Amino acid sequence: MHSTNEQNEFNRIRKQVDKQFGTETNKALLQLRDHADDVIKGGHSSSVQLGQMRDRADELNLRNYPDETLTEYLASASLAAQSSSVKDNVVRGGQKFRCRKTPEILPGFLKEGFLHVLNAEQGTGKSCFVLGLFKALRQEQTGEFLDLEVLSSKNWELFLIARDMPRESWFEPLANYGLLTNVLELSKEDEEGDLAEGVTIACSDVPYTLSPDHIQEFREMALASVAKGNKPLFVFDSYRSLTSFSDAEERSSKFADPLQDLYTAMGGTGATTIVLHHTAKGQSQSVASSGSGTSRMGSIPDIVLELERMGKNSDRMVIHSSKRITPTNLIVLHHYDQGHWESKGCANAWMEEKRLSLEIAKLSTVKTIIFEHFQTIWQDQ
């Protein structure tokens, strides 16, 4: 049995130990809470954020701290960030109302840092369109594309996420647009060339998708590019092939979920994004901002572009824009072998003719319905 003096000494040592380690634990918890603020600022997905919190907890010898508590820290940090943002960004009468101008990299069609969806039938040249655009952008002097001055710079960097086609299908267009040089035929089966500086391409042999994890990877690629002083241009070709993991029907709202995730992730990175989307023949506007069915495909992006042939067998096409940009249209001609897009002037007259044709078609439908209605009445008499 312990003496009174021994018991008192034991209690004194235990209090000292509890005080020392309790203080260290409190310090570690404070550091973990502060880390939650930094994690929220990073803008990563919730699963990545929790992983970052777990890593930091392990570093602070808090390995047994439950995920529920780490999630609570993240939620508190997120709420604090939102409250601060509301307080700082609400503008009241008498205060200055300021915003940053968004430069147009292709006047009337594309804006830097925006997410665009380019709709067109398969085979109209969507992929070559972005190659021509990048070729014009990556110049030291002022470049031109479709007779329009573009926001050119040697700092433009192209990330071509090209799940839609294999390498052999990309070889020729890359060479035609000068993005593949020193082309050699190694054998009857093989050829090679040097990919231009500033171009990164992932063809169908790279299993990229628009899954949350891969979207997070694209965000990190964009942030790394901007950190180096570059201007990243991300092209996703095509939306359908990159969302093949989803069983959502194209006309369902769920079909647009990956696009919403991409929009959220790429926002604020400084990257300019173009998503290429195949539409059914004769329905290039099926996912435009006013389209029915998959209306979310048109409501999510900042700008919607449509590329469509002027006639069934016509080489000429019309490209037009809508949403957060002054609506613009041009008649264009694609010279594939020369790696060149030519502007043939304004398409206002053609657009108006098309609009009238659609209105007439609607009236014809109404007339048919009315006639069938009266025909039913006549038969009953």
Side-chain angles (χ1 to χ4, degrees):
M1 196 169 173
H2 297 296
S3 67
T4 303
N5 289 337
E6 287 176 336
Q7 186 65 42
N8 289 339
E9 180 63 15
F10 175 77
N11 290 337
R12 185 188 67 80
I13 294 173
R14 186 175 67 177
K15 287 180 181 179
Q16 186 175 351
V17 169
D18 289 345
K19 181 179 179 182
Q20 178 182 350
F21 285 94
T23 300
E24 290 179 1
T25 301
N26 288 336
K27 285 182 180 178
L29 290 175
L30 287 174
Q31 291 180 43
L32 192 58
R33 284 181 179 274
D34 290 340
H35 185 64
D37 295 333
D38 296 332
V39 170
I40 290 297
K41 290 176 183 177
H44 301 300
S45 65
S46 57
S47 60
V48 172
Q49 290 176 345
L50 184 58
Q52 292 175 334
M53 289 293 289
R54 172 55 58 199
D55 291 342
R56 184 58 176 150
D58 291 346
E59 292 173 1
L60 295 170
N61 293 319
L62 298 171
R63 293 179 178 83
N64 296 324
Y65 233 59
D67 286 352
E68 291 79 4
T69 303
L70 299 181
T71 302
E72 288 176 7
Y73 286 178
L74 287 169
S76 297
S78 177
L79 185 61
Q82 292 175 19
S83 299
S84 176
S85 176
V86 169
K87 183 178 178 181
D88 294 341
N89 293 322
V90 171
V91 183
R92 294 176 175 81
Q95 295 180 329
K96 298 292 185 182
F97 185 85
R98 293 189 181 92
C99 66
R100 175 175 291 182
K101 284 187 174 182
T102 305
E104 296 188 5
I105 62 176
L106 182 64
F109 296 99
L110 298 160
K111 285 189 175 185
E112 187 173 9
F114 275 23
L115 186 142
H116 312 74
V117 168
L118 172 56
N119 300 314
E121 295 176 9
Q122 194 162 4
T124 51
K126 296 185 296 299
S127 304
C128 288
F129 182 87
V130 295
L131 295 182
L133 171 68
F134 180 74
K135 178 183 176 182
L137 286 173
R138 194 176 163 83
Q139 299 183 34
E140 291 183 359
Q141 299 177 341
T142 302
E144 281 194 357
F145 186 61
L146 301 177
D147 293 335
L148 300 170
E149 284 192 5
V150 298
L151 194 65
S152 56
S153 168
K154 292 296 287 184
N155 293 333
W156 279 103
E157 190 172 11
L158 175 63
F159 294 88
L160 186 53
I161 313 302
R163 182 72 182 271
D164 207 39
M165 297 194 300
R167 291 190 181 202
E168 51 267 27
S169 297
W170 278 104
F171 196 94
E172 188 172 78
L174 285 169
N176 288 349
Y177 279 91
L179 300 179
L180 200 62
T181 58
N182 301 322
V183 174
L184 294 174
E185 187 173 321
L186 302 178
S187 66
K188 289 183 178 180
E189 292 82 21
D190 299 308
E191 55 187 348
E192 70 174 14
D194 297 328
L195 193 62
E197 291 291 329
V199 179
T200 298
I201 182 169
C203 302
S204 59
D205 55 348
V206 180
Y208 271 140
T209 66
L210 286 179
S211 65
D213 288 343
H214 286 163
I215 286 176
Q216 184 59 42
E217 186 175 341
F218 301 143
R219 173 183 170 84
E220 291 169 0
M221 290 163 65
L223 291 172
S225 177
V226 172
K228 295 176 184 176
N230 293 326
K231 293 173 174 285
L233 172 64
F234 276 78
V235 176
F236 295 93
D237 186 9
S238 66
Y239 185 77
R240 168 49 81 182
S241 62
L242 287 164
T243 58
S244 57
F245 61 90
S246 171
D247 58 358
E249 294 292 330
E250 186 164 345
R251 298 192 68 81
S252 71
S253 177
K254 187 180 177 182
F255 181 72
D257 285 350
L259 184 64
Q260 180 65 68
D261 293 341
L262 183 67
Y263 182 89
T264 302
M266 301 303 277
T269 62
T272 302
T273 305
I274 304 175
V275 178
L276 307 185
H277 182 52
H278 299 322
T279 54
K281 287 189 177 295
Q283 297 181 24
S284 64
Q285 291 179 307
S286 62
V287 292
S289 55
S290 59
S292 60
T294 53
S295 58
R296 286 186 66 213
M297 286 293 292
S299 63
I300 293 170
D302 297 299
I303 295 173
V304 174
L305 303 173
E306 310 284 344
L307 181 65
E308 56 184 313
R309 296 192 184 279
M310 295 184 71
K312 186 177 180 180
N313 299 314
S314 176
D315 291 332
R316 296 192 176 196
M317 291 172 277
V318 170
I319 183 166
H320 49 100
S321 61
S322 61
K323 294 198 68 180
R324 294 175 58 189
I325 199 165
T326 302
T328 308
N329 57 69
L330 283 175
I331 298 173
V332 297
L333 187 60
H334 182 205
H335 302 279
Y336 175 76
D337 293 336
Q338 292 78 35
H340 172 63
W341 284 79
E342 180 184 2
S343 172
K344 290 293 185 179
C346 179
N348 280 345
W350 184 85
M351 294 286 289
E352 180 62 18
E353 181 180 341
K354 180 182 178 183
R355 186 189 68 79
L356 289 174
S357 297
L358 291 173
E359 291 297 327
I360 291 171
K362 290 179 182 177
L363 288 175
S364 298
T365 301
V366 171
K367 286 180 179 179
T368 300
I369 293 172
I370 293 173
F371 176 76
E372 289 176 349
H373 173 69
F374 279 106
Q375 191 176 40
T376 301
I377 295 175
W378 296 332
Q379 290 173 351
D380 292 340
Q381 290 179 348

